[in-house]
Amino acid sequence: MTFDVDHVLAEATTEELAALVCGSGSWHTTGIPRLGVPPVRLADGPHGLRVGEDLDYSEPSTCFPTAVGLGSSWNPALLKRVGEALGREATALGVDVVLGPGLNIKRSPLCGRNFEYLSEDPFVSGTLAAALVYGMQSVGVGGCLKHFAANNQETDRMRVDAVVAERALREIYLAGFQRAVGASQPWMVMCSYNRLNGTLVSQNPWLLTDVLRGDWDYRGVVVSDWGAVYDRIAALIAGLDLEMPQADGREAVVAAAVESGELSREVLELAAERLLSLTHKAVTAVRPTGVIGHHDLAREAALESMVLLRNDGVLPLAPGARVALVGEFARTPRYQGSGSSKVNPVELDRLLDTLASRREVTFAPGFLLSGDLDDDLIDEAVTAAELADVVVACLGLPDAEETEGSDRTHMRIPDNQRALLASLSETGKPVVVVLSNGAAVEVAGWTEETSALIEAWLGGEAGALALAQVLTGEAEPSGRLTETLGVRLEDYPSTLMFPGETGQVQYGEGVFMGYRGFDAMEREVAYPFGFGLGYTTFRYDALKLVETGSVVTRDLRVAASVTLTNTGQRAGAEVVQVYVRNAAASVPRPVRELRGFTKVWLEPGESRTVTVALGIDAFAFWSTPHERFVVESGDYAIEAGSHSRDLPVAGGLRLDVPSLPTPLYDESTIAEWFADTDAMDALQARVLARTGERFELGEEMYAVVAGQPLRRFAQFPGGPLTVADVDAVLAEYGRPV
Ligand code: BGC
């Protein structure tokens, strides 16, 4: 069954179009049956499908590692395959659009939804989100980027005003969305609940229209987060096409607004057209047969998600090792987060079973999930440890601490788990800690008590199988951190301002967020951004740079190549990370920024030349006065290595770009005027013609007044310059204010 979009637009009544832009129930759009337009079905995800009318029940579907894990894979090809699998499962469940991925930036480790987000870095987030969407859409199911934008906390999420400077937005909080929109043209983008710089995002024309559609050329549908709309008419005018879920009487409100002239029919038609195009895509998509059940892919994804943070050689566990398996999470796995992304898994592995089939295991729960201290449980675990060769302790965060709707107040693991770990380490037996958590926890106080530490994140339904394979060395842990693990919460650049007060949160750290802030402040960290070990080692040899194109023609490309050698005894993966730094910029810039990466698998002894391509955006920053990304002349360092604080090979690049005068306006300073030779020549010509002298400033005077707005300087009596001169030149050379 199909329909013609233009025909429907021409034939539909205002009421029918109004109904189209308002949802039907919780999970469907409203079709126009009379004209052959069916409803489209939406479902939560994206770590698995949540198909069901209420939060308590959903149809079984594969539960993949949550985004924190998928992000840690640094593997777009894997994300694409997970996307395809999600698409196949969506097809089996009759779903047309999956409401994910979430790619908000992890501004603070406390955000309750960090488990649903990919990284603190927009390059990683955008690249991986694009791959996931690409995978879904390649099998005919739509993806939906969410939550657009600056929804970086759960506290007061439906009202809070995120106050963010445009540069931080463009370089950090919007940049991942921009990358993913450009690379995957998602069928949908979901707007967030919060306000951004004073305006509800659902009603924010700057964000939803000027930036998303104007600057980025987005052509799909913008859907509201569930309940994000306050004023439906303002939202339509701002560019919000579909309101979800159905809100009582909204269609009538929209139709009446068209009738009264408050809303032009063209605006309604534009939104309706986008919905009709999406529906048409859904109806005509060629979809492979739907399948539920991708346990093996979930296992593979979990392997690539796991980050080995520390290992004194105890891992992989020796073949005959007797293992004390301690911790309730070995029996009651913590494998996903709470809230709208919660999946009803098809099957569920437990480490208690998967490890016991590989090694001799004695289990002791060790702690209560409630957080209460129980000395008997600790004593039992210590006894098990004393009789074993090695302890594997499964620690982490309880369910309630990581959920949509609330943030954490600290980043420690529960005290009863700390007490257990202290007692276990007193036995003198090597202790391997496996963490199950979706957001960063403080490890600095106790990582030294461990022989090995694996950050297993929330690994999905097959996480425990992957973990047993990693512990025994059947498989490699190949994840890398996509967020910095700070020593203390107090060290994070956003901490003082998170989660804000009286309805407002200030993003005062600007672009200096995550590793960009830690590095600028030269702050010690527990484990740096990009870090992760494997069971083998790698060597980097000299970096080679090949430059083509130019900044002026906007086609600059830099191919950065390194020779990578696996110097260990086992096959393994390395994530080659490339960072760019621009030491002498005209604005404060981060010490280094990730601009490219690639994950490579090498056999023992194997060497390979690995090339990472950098585009012009790798060198750019957002210039607020120019209202665009610019590249400045200067020396750029390009560094490559295994994480943000281990970059053994580097090269330099000089870029020469004609200088771009700062557009002048009525408050431009004397220094800014002097930098604009055309405007200055025009000003001098005027002054000279009128007074017979030029406007000159001695060196000392210039130092005093260079920072003053020229127009106000002209107000002072006695000089050759007048306000009228300044205004006349501004009229020709200035930018509109
Ligand atoms: C969440 C979204 C989700 C939607 C539908 C909202 O509360 O923020 O991520 O897709 O509900 O369940």
Side-chain angles (χ1 to χ4, degrees), residues 711-723:
R711 194 172 183 281
R712 284 200 247 167
F713 184 81
Q715 289 171 196
F716 287 104
L721 192 64
T722 64
V723 170

Side-chain angles (χ1 to χ4, degrees), residues 256-565:
V258 174
E259 196 61 34
S260 71
E262 188 195 346
L263 176 71
S264 79
R265 189 174 155 107
E266 289 71 42
V267 170
L268 176 60
E269 278 181 3
L270 198 59
E273 184 183 351
R274 294 187 191 120
L275 270 154
L276 288 171
S277 301
L278 181 142
T279 309
H280 193 266
K281 262 191 277 193
V283 168
T284 55
V286 180
R287 294 183 183 157
T289 320
V291 183
I292 300 283
H294 290 88
H295 197 68
D296 199 51
L297 180 58
R299 178 196 60 84
E300 213 185 301
L303 284 177
E304 294 213 34
S305 299
M306 248 170 254
V307 187
L308 179 62
L309 293 172
R310 178 179 167 91
N311 184 14
D312 66 4
V314 67
L315 293 180
L317 296 173
R322 291 167 306 155
V323 180
L325 180 59
V326 175
E328 186 57 52
F329 293 134
R331 177 168 65 184
T332 312
R334 176 94 213 292
Y335 62 100
Q336 64 175 334
S338 297
S340 61
S341 70
K342 197 157 191 166
V343 170
N344 178 10
V346 178
E347 36 186 309
L348 182 58
D349 294 328
R350 303 185 311 168
L351 193 60
L352 185 50
D353 308 317
T354 57
L355 194 60
S357 63
R358 290 168 164 82
R359 292 291 184 278
E360 187 187 324
V361 162
T362 309
F363 172 69
F367 60 84
L368 294 169
L369 289 174
S370 64
D372 296 336
L373 193 62
D374 184 328
D375 292 332
D376 292 345
L377 287 183
I378 294 184
D379 292 347
E380 183 197 357
V382 166
T383 306
E386 278 163 351
L387 297 172
D389 302 314
V390 56
V391 181
V392 172
C394 298
L395 310 181
L397 292 176
D399 246 330
E401 288 205 24
E402 294 186 284
T403 177
E404 177 172 344
S406 59
D407 295 318
R408 289 185 298 163
T409 52
H410 63 82
M411 57 180 289
R412 298 183 301 277
I413 58 171
D415 289 345
N416 62 347
Q417 295 185 30
R418 283 283 284 107
L420 169 68
L421 180 60
S423 300
L424 291 173
S425 62
E426 274 168 22
T427 65
K429 295 294 166 81
V431 179
V432 176
V433 167
V434 173
L435 282 173
S436 298
N437 50 299
V441 294
E442 263 178 29
V443 298
W446 51 262
T447 190
E448 303 75 15
E449 294 169 25
T450 68
S451 285
L453 175 58
I454 299 178
E455 180 47 273
W457 302 121
L458 302 178
E461 64 175 49
L465 175 55
L467 195 51
Q469 293 183 322
V470 161
L471 289 169
T472 56
E474 272 165 62
E476 300 291 307
S478 71
R480 302 288 184 267
L481 294 176
T482 61
E483 62 196 285
T484 308
L485 298 191
V487 173
R488 305 168 313 158
L489 174 62
E490 292 76 8
D491 294 339
Y492 284 78
S494 60
T495 295
L496 274 181
M497 293 153 285
F498 184 96
E501 56 190 278
T502 52
Q504 197 183 69
V505 52
Q506 302 269 354
Y507 287 39
E509 71 283 6
V511 299
F512 296 96
M513 209 277 315
Y515 69 90
R516 289 167 167 83
F518 281 101
D519 286 356
M521 295 185 286
E522 296 183 356
R523 203 155 270 180
E524 194 194 331
V525 300
Y527 294 101
F529 176 81
F531 182 83
L533 304 168
Y535 291 152
T536 187
T537 47
F538 292 91
R539 189 183 68 233
Y540 285 77
D541 285 314
L543 180 81
K544 201 174 126 219
L545 301 175
V546 177
E547 193 184 332
T548 54
S550 80
V551 177
V552 177
T553 48
R554 304 207 65 74
D555 59 352
L556 176 74
R557 305 270 297 171
V558 178
S561 306
V562 294
T563 307
L564 184 71
T565 307

